[in-house]
């Protein structure tokens, strides 16, 4: 199975390159990449299902807004997410349900998702994007 | 996107300039304060390209300026300063930072280290227990929506009314810890929810709380005015606005991006997203940013209160006085001389600290004769510095100094090359007590991952932007993972 994401070098922040066979899979892998990089220590409690609805002007902004929304929900509810069931997806809209669990802490605090150098591209039949997170 | 050395003009041993003619879209030159060695290192990443990009923003005055701790960010570099004329300039959330009012507070004691040495372990334990650090741990204060709005508007005044700290503390803080102009309605519900239980918390990453000793005094009269005496204990707190501030910046970058075309603004980098200062969106951002700044001052104020409680538990007696509190990610409306005229500007300081000189009305009365304290946090095992603002700095860099050491190694590389447990042992062998949630977090923040803070401060000192007053060395470090 091809890797969903890889961590790249950046002086002060977190930079990952995400891959997907489809755009929806790219978004899913970006979610995994962000939260796996944050390295949660799991807490107690059942699996959570958190609805998420995001709209944006284009797919690049949609990816940033999707990850930002997930980050905000994570901070408010003290959760981390391991997957998403996507119910509706287009270049400008995403509706779904985040699946996750309560956490005790994250090792890495991700402050924000930036637009820096983010350009979703199709290369050799695969979708990829680089995302820089402020940490 | 690196810039060739041949583009630069050396102005003096500590100042280099990229002329406005370098790129067609530049409105002003770009200047960097650096030693020759730092300048050579800075050519290796994209930070100077990012500095040139700032020079293209509408309304920018004089020059886009970089401090010697500059490193690559997103949009603005870290260590970047830009002054935008209020009447026709832009305000850029990315030019202030996601961690609005990330900053530093310094407390000073009259207790020599020798008297406190046997109690330092206890003090570190008490602080670690009272000041939540790391991510996922909330503080003891849970704000109602009404209380949240009050914190955003009133800053530390809200906390003082509730018995945290005193008016004397407020008199020794930048903006008295309560910057006017908040619009609580401009802060989103999401931001308020994120911040509701985060007052009194440190966060993680490069945020920390250090017990320090005043190791060397360079300007005895100024140090005395700041209550800093050689051999005495001081305590430094470095943190910001937590999730609330991060959300405010995220919200307004999102708001501004699709509106750029309508304002006729073209940007070389989306993270420079901005709005005309005078537009409704610009005003709302400023109102929200001010609220987040007040939240951060209140956060450090509550932490300082809990540090005082920890001090009482460990030592029993003795006072911790507030020296000062500075923001190093903030936007301020200030009046500066440009081309012989006084102009109102929105001063963007991202990884840069205000450093006002003697006589400036915004400097606390207690310090007005000598100038504003400038607090520069170092790295574990090295040193932090207290500087004082100068009037030369007012002319050279809009009254601005560096903010710290600046990173030179990625966190991933730091974790690969430095073992956290080895670092912990090395620091403890030097008598530095460590309370940290994870060794990986420790490795990321190792001194080797940063530029030499001594060299950074030396450039600022020799360039006349601020003068060295005292060096502080850590004796105990508390941080999240």
């Amino acid at each position: 199975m091809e890797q969903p994401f890889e961590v790249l070098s950046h002086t002060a922040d977190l930079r990952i390159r995400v891959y997907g066979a489809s755009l929806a899979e790219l978004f899913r892998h970006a979610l995994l990449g962000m939260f796996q990089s944050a390295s949660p220590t799991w807490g107690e409690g059942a699996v959570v299902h958190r609805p998420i609805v995001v709209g944006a002007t284009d797919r690049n902004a949609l990816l940033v807004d999707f990850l930002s929304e997930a980050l905000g929900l994570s901070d408010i509810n003290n959760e981390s997410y391991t997957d998403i069931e996507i119910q509706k997806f287009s270049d400008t809209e995403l509706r779904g349900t985040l699946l996750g669990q309560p956490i005790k802490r994250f090792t890495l605090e991700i402050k924000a998702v930036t637009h820096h150098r983010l350009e979703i591209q199709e290369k050799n039949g695969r979708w990829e994007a680089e995302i820089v997170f402020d940490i | 996107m690196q810039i060739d050395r041949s583009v630069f003009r050396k102005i003096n041993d500590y100042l280099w300039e990229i002329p406005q003619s370098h790129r067609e879209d530049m409105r002003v030159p770009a200047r960097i304060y650096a030693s020759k060695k730092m300048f050579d290192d800075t050519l290796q990443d994209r930070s100077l390209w990012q500095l040139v990009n700032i020079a293209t923003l509408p309304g920018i005055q004089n020059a886009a300026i970089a401090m010697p701790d500059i490193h690559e960010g997103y949009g603005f570099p870290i260590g970047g300063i830009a002054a935008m004329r209020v009447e026709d300039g832009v305000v850029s959330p990315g030019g202030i930072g996601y961690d609005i009012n990330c900053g530093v507070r310094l407390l000073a004691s009259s207790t020599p280290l020798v008297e406190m040495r046997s109690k330092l372990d206890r003090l570190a334990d008490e602080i670690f227990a009272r000041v939540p650090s790391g991510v996922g741990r909330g503080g003891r204060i849970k704000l109602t929506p009404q209380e949240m709005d009050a914190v955003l508007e009133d800053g530390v005044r809200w906390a003082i009314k509730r018995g945290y700290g005193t008016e004397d503390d407020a008199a020794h803080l930048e903006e008295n810890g309560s910057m006017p102009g908040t619009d609580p309605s401009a802060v989103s519900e999401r931001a308020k929810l994120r911040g509701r239980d985060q007052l009194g918390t440190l966060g993680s990453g490069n945020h920390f709380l250090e017990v320090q000793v005043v190791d060397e005094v360079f300007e005895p009269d100024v140090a005395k005015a700041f209550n800093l005496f050689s051999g005495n204990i001081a305590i430094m707190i470095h943190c910001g606005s937590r999730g609330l501030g991060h959300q405010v910046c995220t919200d307004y970058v999102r708001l501004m991006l699709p509106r750029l075309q309508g304002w006729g603004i073209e940007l070389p980098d989306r993270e420079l997203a901005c709005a005309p200062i005078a537009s409704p969106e610009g005003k709302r951002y400023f109102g929200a940013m001010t609220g987040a700044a007040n939240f951060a001052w209140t956060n450090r104020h509550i932490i300082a209160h809990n540090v005082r409680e920890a001090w009482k538990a460990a030592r029993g007696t003795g006072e911790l006085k507030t020296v000062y509190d500075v923001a190093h990610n903030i936007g301020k409306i200030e009046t500066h001389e440009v081309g012989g005229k006084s102009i109102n500007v929105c001063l963007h300081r991202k990884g840069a600290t205000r450093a006002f000189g003697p006589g400036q009305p915004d400097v606390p009365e207690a310090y007005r004769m000598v100038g504003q304290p400038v607090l520069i946090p170092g790295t574990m095992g090295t040193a932090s510095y207290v500087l004082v603002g100068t009037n030369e700095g007012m002319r050279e860099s809009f009254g601005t100094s560096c903010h710290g050491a600046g990173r030179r190694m990625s966190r991933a590389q730091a974790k690969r090359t430095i073992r956290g447990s080895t670092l912990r042992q090395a620091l403890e062998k030097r008598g530095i007590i460590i309370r940290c949630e994870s060794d990986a977090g420790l490795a990321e923040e190792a001194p080797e991952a940063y530029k030499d803070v001594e060299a950074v401060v030396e450039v600022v000192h020799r360039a006349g932007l601020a003068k060295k007053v005292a060096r502080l060395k850590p004796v105990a470090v508390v941080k999240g993972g």
Side-chain angles (χ1 to χ4, degrees), chain A residues 10-13 55 60 65 69 75-76 78 105-106 109 111-112 114-118 134-135, chain B residues 46 50 71 74 98-99 135 190 194 198 204 242 246 254 257 269-271 407 409-411 437:
Chain A
H10 192 285
T11 312
D13 295 297
N60 295 319
D65 292 350
E69 182 73 6
D75 199 18
I76 290 166
N78 267 336
R105 56 189 295 275
F106 285 112
E109 179 177 14
K111 292 178 181 167
T114 81
H115 293 263
H116 187 56
R117 296 173 74 179
L118 197 159
D134 183 335
I135 60 174
Chain B
R46 293 150 34 94
Q50 293 178 335
H71 61 79
Y74 32 84
Y98 284 96
D99 196 354
V135 195
R190 171 61 53 86
R194 288 182 71 173
Q198 292 185 340
S204 67
R242 305 302 322 283
H246 311 162
R254 183 167 189 246
L257 266 174
D269 184 334
R270 266 176 297 177
E271 274 294 325
R407 284 196 79 96
M409 186 191 293
S410 75
R411 292 169 197 279
E437 298 246 344

Side-chain angles (χ1 to χ4, degrees), chain B residues 31-199:
Chain B
R31 295 201 184 114
I32 170 172
Y33 286 91
S35 65
K36 169 88 178 35
K37 180 173 183 325
M38 285 172 181
F39 173 71
D40 289 343
D41 290 343
T42 308
L43 291 172
Q44 307 308 315
D45 69 13
R46 293 150 34 94
S47 49
L48 295 177
W49 175 76
Q50 293 178 335
L51 187 70
V52 166
N53 287 342
I54 302 176
T56 71
L57 292 174
I60 188 166
Q61 301 297 301
N62 196 6
I65 299 172
M67 289 289 117
D69 49 349
I70 184 177
H71 61 79
E72 184 176 333
Y74 32 84
F76 275 58
I78 313 300
I81 305 156
M84 313 303 196
R85 190 165 50 201
V86 166
E87 66 204 47
D88 60 351
V90 296
V91 60
S92 174
I96 286 159
Y98 284 96
D99 196 354
I100 295 168
N101 193 3
C102 184
V104 181
R105 183 175 293 204
L106 186 67
L107 308 171
S109 80
S110 54
T111 304
L113 172 62
V114 292
E115 279 181 30
M116 200 60 193
R117 179 66 83 182
S118 60
K119 301 185 175 77
L120 281 180
D121 269 300
R122 172 89 192 268
L123 177 61
D125 288 338
E126 292 285 347
I127 291 173
F128 196 63
R130 289 162 199 276
V131 182
S133 58
V135 195
R137 290 183 63 197
R140 289 184 202 136
I141 299 172
K142 311 254 184 281
L143 297 170
T144 65
Q146 294 76 18
E147 286 171 331
M148 172 60 81
D149 282 357
V151 170
L152 297 176
E153 281 196 283
D154 296 340
V156 303
R157 290 202 317 262
W158 175 89
I160 291 168
K161 282 184 206 158
R162 277 149 189 80
Y164 297 101
T166 65
E167 293 292 342
D168 186 65
D169 290 324
H172 291 80
L173 311 176
E174 185 174 340
E175 298 286 344
N176 300 114
S178 176
M179 194 160 135
T182 296
D183 175 2
S185 75
V187 177
S188 67
E189 285 311 303
R190 171 61 53 86
K192 292 175 184 176
L193 278 174
R194 288 182 71 173
R196 70 185 163 183
D197 65 349
Q198 292 185 340
L199 272 188

Side-chain angles (χ1 to χ4, degrees), chain B residues 321-363:
Chain B
K321 286 191 172 181
T322 301
V323 174
Y324 202 57
D325 184 311
V326 292
H328 54 231
N329 278 358
I330 199 156
K332 296 277 200 80
I333 304 296
E334 295 176 358
T335 304
H336 287 273
E337 292 276 316
V338 179
K341 290 194 225 169
S342 280
I343 298 185
N344 286 341
V345 293
C346 178
L347 215 322
H348 295 63
R349 295 185 175 101
K350 181 175 177 183
T353 312
R354 194 186 76 173
F356 277 6
Q360 295 296 323
D362 287 330
V363 176

Side-chain angles (χ1 to χ4, degrees), chain A:
Chain A
M1 188 173 86
E2 304 210 46
Q3 60 183 3
F5 70 92
E6 58 179 320
V7 177
L8 306 176
S9 183
H10 192 285
T11 312
D13 295 297
L14 172 68
R15 187 160 73 104
I16 67 174
R17 187 178 290 134
V18 189
Y19 305 98
S22 65
L23 271 176
E25 187 176 71
L26 180 87
F27 274 58
R28 183 172 162 270
H29 287 169
L31 181 81
L32 298 183
M34 182 170 76
F35 283 110
Q36 283 183 24
S37 297
S39 199
T41 300
W42 298 108
E44 323 230 314
V47 171
V48 298
H49 296 79
R50 193 68 65 188
I52 185 165
V53 177
V54 193
T57 51
D58 59 70
R59 64 167 71 126
N60 295 319
L62 186 69
L63 180 57
V64 172
D65 292 350
F66 162 60
L67 294 174
S68 298
E69 182 73 6
L71 195 61
L73 289 169
S74 159
D75 199 18
I76 290 166
N77 298 296
N78 267 336
E79 299 165 348
S80 183
Y81 307 112
T82 53
D83 209 342
I84 177 169
E85 291 167 354
I86 295 178
Q87 284 113 35
K88 185 172 183 185
F89 182 79
S90 71
D91 272 9
T92 55
E93 189 183 5
L94 185 153
R95 285 174 186 266
T97 305
L98 296 167
L99 305 176
Q101 281 178 254
I103 56 148
K104 285 184 182 163
R105 56 189 295 275
F106 285 112
T107 301
L108 179 68
E109 179 177 14
I110 294 178
K111 292 178 181 167
V113 189
T114 81
H115 293 263
H116 187 56
R117 296 173 74 179
L118 197 159
E119 199 69 46
I120 298 175
Q121 292 177 321
E122 192 177 9
K123 283 184 184 173
N124 304 318
R126 235 175 27 147
W127 294 92
E128 64 180 66
E130 266 183 39
I131 313 168
V132 174
F133 301 92
D134 183 335
I135 60 174

Side-chain angles (χ1 to χ4, degrees), chain B residues 14 22 199 230-231 258 302 330:
Chain B
Y14 301 105
H22 163 65
L199 272 188
S230 191
I302 303 288
I330 199 156

Side-chain angles (χ1 to χ4, degrees), chain B residues 409-470:
Chain B
M409 186 191 293
S410 75
R411 292 169 197 279
Q413 188 184 355
K415 280 195 288 193
R416 275 197 304 272
T417 54
I418 301 158
R419 285 196 64 182
S421 55
T422 308
L423 175 61
R424 184 191 286 265
Q425 282 164 21
L427 292 169
E428 285 172 345
K429 218 171 175 180
R430 287 169 50 191
I432 299 172
I433 293 162
I434 305 288
R435 295 289 182 269
C436 179
E437 298 246 344
S438 84
D439 283 347
L442 213 57
E444 286 179 5
E445 296 303 317
E448 299 93 307
Y450 283 84
K451 298 183 189 188
D452 179 358
V453 67
E454 317 259 352
V456 167
V457 163
E458 196 62 27
V459 170
V460 163
H461 176 85
R462 288 186 181 269
L465 306 183
K467 292 289 178 195
K468 291 192 296 190
V469 173

